[in-house]
Amino acid sequence: MPRLKTEDRQNQIINEALQIIHKQGFGALTIKELAKKSAISEPAIYRHFKNKEEIILGIMDRMNVFDEKLRKHIDDISDKEKKIYELISFHFEFFQKNPEYTSILFSEDIFGNGPALREKLLGIITQRRHVICSALEDAKKSREFRGLNTCNLATIILGFIRVSVLQWRLSGYGYSIIEAGNAEAKTLLKLIYSHK
C-alpha cells in the first residue's frame, strides 16, 4: 500500500481528532487516544504535529476555508436582502452537514488552553464579522434600511447563529437546523428591514 502524502496524513489525523472531540469531548483527545483511533503511531503523529494545540489549530484552519466558501456563495447575489439571508443560511447548512465542528466552536475548554487558540478563534470571528458587516453595509448604502449600525447588527447576527446552533447541539441534533434556523432568519430580516 502506498504511503500517504504529508498533507493527506495530516488531514487524516485532524479528521480523527475532530471525531474524538465530537464523540468523547475535548478531554478525551490525547496523542495516545488519537494513535489508537487512527491506527497511526504516536511518533508518526508527532512528526506531523508538535502537540495537541497544533492539531486543534489545524481543525480551526478549516474554518478559514468555510469563510472563503461563504464569500464565494454570496458574492454573485445582487439582491441585498437575499444576500444577508443566504449568508445566514449558509452557516446552518454547513453545521447540518458537519455537526462535529460545533464541538470545537462551542467548547470553552479548548480555548482556555493557550493564547494561540484564543487568537485563532478571535481571528475567525473577526473575519466572519467583517464579511457580514460588508453585506449589511451594501444593503444600507442602497437604502434598504437606515439608522442601524451595521457592525453592531453583524454581532447580533453572529449571536443569533451561535444561539440557534447551540440549542440544536444541546438537543442532540434532533431536528433540522436548516429549517429552524432559516425560519428564525426570516424573522430577523423582517425586523431589520422594518427599520426605515
Side-chain angles (χ1 to χ4, degrees), residues 47-84:
R47 277 197 297 274
H48 294 285
F49 298 97
K50 276 194 311 195
N51 53 35
K52 194 162 86 166
E53 183 177 300
E54 270 196 6
I55 295 168
I56 302 299
L57 287 168
I59 293 169
M60 293 177 72
D61 280 339
R62 292 181 177 183
M63 295 310 292
N64 293 330
V65 173
F66 169 87
D67 285 332
E68 199 53 46
K69 288 180 180 178
L70 173 62
R71 244 184 257 104
K72 285 179 184 173
H73 180 73
I74 64 170
D75 269 353
D76 296 329
I77 301 171
S78 57
D79 180 291
K80 307 295 189 221
E81 186 173 353
K82 185 173 193 299
K83 182 179 274 198
I84 297 166

Side-chain angles (χ1 to χ4, degrees), residues 85 88-96 160 164 168 174-187:
Y85 174 80
I88 296 169
S89 181
F90 193 83
H91 284 79
F92 297 133
E93 289 172 19
F94 173 81
F95 286 118
Q96 184 78 49
F160 150 70
S164 297
W168 173 65
Y175 56 89
S176 167
I177 187 60
I178 295 172
E179 288 177 22
N182 286 351
E184 292 166 354
K186 287 175 184 172
T187 301

Side-chain angles (χ1 to χ4, degrees):
M1 187 156 107
R3 286 180 57 140
L4 288 175
K5 290 189 273 184
T6 298
E7 187 179 340
D8 293 336
R9 182 66 76 196
Q10 288 172 335
N11 279 325
Q12 181 184 2
I13 292 166
I14 287 171
N15 289 340
E16 197 57 58
L18 192 51
Q19 289 307 313
I20 291 169
I21 294 167
H22 185 58
K23 292 175 182 165
Q24 300 169 247
F26 178 67
L29 180 63
T30 63
I31 300 300
K32 184 175 186 169
E33 180 69 8
L34 189 51
K36 186 172 94 178
K37 295 278 187 186
S38 65
I40 301 171
S41 71
E42 289 182 50
I45 292 171
Y46 281 116
R47 277 197 297 274
H48 294 285
F49 298 97
K50 276 194 311 195
N51 53 35
K52 194 162 86 166
E53 183 177 300
E54 270 196 6
I55 295 168
I56 302 299
L57 287 168
I59 293 169
M60 293 177 72
D61 280 339
R62 292 181 177 183
M63 295 310 292
N64 293 330
V65 173
F66 169 87
D67 285 332
E68 199 53 46
K69 288 180 180 178
L70 173 62
R71 244 184 257 104
K72 285 179 184 173
H73 180 73
I74 64 170
D75 269 353
D76 296 329
I77 301 171
S78 57
D79 180 291
K80 307 295 189 221
E81 186 173 353
K82 185 173 193 299
K83 182 179 274 198
I84 297 166
Y85 174 80
E86 285 296 321
L87 187 149
I88 296 169
S89 181
F90 193 83
H91 284 79
F92 297 133
E93 289 172 19
F94 173 81
F95 286 118
Q96 184 78 49
K97 291 177 191 165
N98 305 282
E100 62 276 5
Y101 282 94
T102 64
S103 300
I104 298 294
L105 297 174
F106 294 99
S107 175
E108 300 300 322
D109 294 346
I110 291 173
F111 301 107
N113 281 296
L117 293 173
R118 282 192 299 277
E119 284 176 30
K120 187 73 162 179
L121 181 60
L122 183 59
I124 289 168
I125 292 168
T126 302
Q127 179 59 36
R128 188 85 36 83
R129 191 168 179 264
H130 175 74
V131 171
I132 297 170
C133 280
S134 296
L136 290 166
E137 197 58 44
D138 281 350
K140 190 175 179 181
K141 282 178 188 169
S142 63
R143 304 225 182 260
E144 293 191 16
F145 63 85
R146 291 188 297 258
L148 296 173
N149 179 296
T150 51
C151 287
N152 290 347
L153 193 51
T155 301
I156 291 167
I157 289 171
L158 282 171
F160 150 70
I161 292 168
R162 183 174 175 82
V163 168
S164 297
V165 174
L166 182 57
Q167 184 176 359
W168 173 65
R169 181 173 188 249
L170 292 173
S171 79
Y173 312 102
Y175 56 89
S176 167
I177 187 60
I178 295 172
E179 288 177 22
N182 286 351
E184 292 166 354
K186 287 175 184 172
T187 301
L188 181 59
L189 284 171
K190 279 181 187 172
L191 288 171
I192 294 168
Y193 277 84
S194 67
H195 194 277
K196 296 291 182 183

